[in-house]
Structure formats: structure tokens, C-alpha cells
């Protein structure tokens, strides 16, 4: 007689479905494009603000080029690119593992003794 654990097949299936949805949510939250894009936008804003009113010594060091402004704008554009890419091509949900329900599953014959 098989042991029963008190869970029906429906309970197990519901639990598996819930875990799969949590896994898909975690995959979307921790997508590297979101993290990289967010950091580039944040640092881009900071560097761009620093480049809006440069001092004369900063411009002299960079031979007259407002390097903070241009670098900050470049970082902003790169961060926005990553975030737009994430929006246009979201992470697909993970594919559930294939179960062995095909022919021959569990039908192995024992060798004759």
C-alpha cells in the first residue's frame, strides 16, 4: 500500500504552478539589462550634472572639452538603450521541465533470474 502524504494531485500541481510563477517573476526582476540600465542612467545623471557648470581647471585638464557633460550624456543614452531593450524584448518565462509521460516510461523489464 503506498504511503500518502496528505496532499492531493491538485495540491501538488497548484504548488508547482505557484513556484514556476515566482521563478518567472524573479527572472524578470534580476534581469541584468534592468540593473545595468538603471546604474548607467543613475551615474549618467550624476556625471551630467557635474558637467553642466564645469570649472576652468576641469576644462584645462581636459584640453577644453567638457568631458563630464559628454560622458554623462553617453552614459544616459546607454542606460536608456538597455531599459528600452528590456521593455521591447522582455525575458521569456522559463520553460517547465519535460515530464516522462511518453511511451516506455516506467515500463522497464526486470532481467530474468
Amino acid at each position: 500500500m503506498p504511503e500518502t502524504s496528505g496532499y492531493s494531485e491538485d495540491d501538488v500541481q497548484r504548488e508547482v504552478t505557484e513556484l514556476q510563477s515566482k521563478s518567472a517573476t524573479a527572472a524578470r526582476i534580476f534581469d541584468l539589462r534592468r540593473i545595468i540600465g538603471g546604474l548607467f542612467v543613475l551615474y549618467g545623471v550624476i556625471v551630467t550634472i557635474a558637467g553642466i557648470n564645469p570649472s576652468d581647471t576641469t576644462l584645462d585638464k581636459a584640453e577644453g572639452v567638457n568631458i563630464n557633460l559628454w560622458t554623462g550624456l553617453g552614459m544616459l543614452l546607454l542606460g536608456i538603450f538597455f531599459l528600452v531593450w528590456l521593455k521591447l524584448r522582455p525575458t521569456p518565462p522559463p520553460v517547465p521541465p519535460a515530464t516522462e509521460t511518453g511511451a516506455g516510461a516506467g515500463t522497464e523489464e526486470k532481467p530474468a533470474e
Side-chain angles (χ1 to χ4, degrees):
M1 178 179 268
E3 274 188 43
T4 58
S5 61
Y7 293 105
S8 69
E9 185 66 30
D10 290 336
D11 292 338
V12 172
Q13 188 63 33
R14 185 174 33 255
E15 184 73 22
V16 167
T17 304
E18 183 180 318
L19 288 174
Q20 285 176 344
S21 69
K22 286 181 182 178
S23 174
T25 302
R28 282 191 300 273
I29 289 173
F30 294 111
D31 189 354
L32 286 178
R33 295 175 292 181
R34 180 185 313 267
I35 296 168
I36 292 171
L39 285 174
F40 267 102
V41 167
L42 176 69
Y43 293 147
V45 167
I46 293 170
V47 175
T48 301
I49 290 172
I52 288 176
N53 290 323
S55 65
D56 290 334
T57 58
T58 306
L59 287 175
D60 290 340
K61 285 181 187 177
E63 297 182 8
V65 177
N66 191 349
I67 196 72
N68 285 338
L69 181 64
W70 291 110
T71 303
L73 291 174
M75 292 173 79
L76 273 172
L77 288 175
L78 183 63
I80 290 170
F81 166 76
F82 272 99
L83 295 176
V84 167
W85 179 22
L86 177 69
K87 187 72 171 171
L88 294 177
R89 302 280 241 150
T91 305
V95 178
T99 57
E100 294 183 21
T101 57
T107 59
E108 294 181 20
E109 294 182 20
K110 292 183 180 178
E113 293 184 22

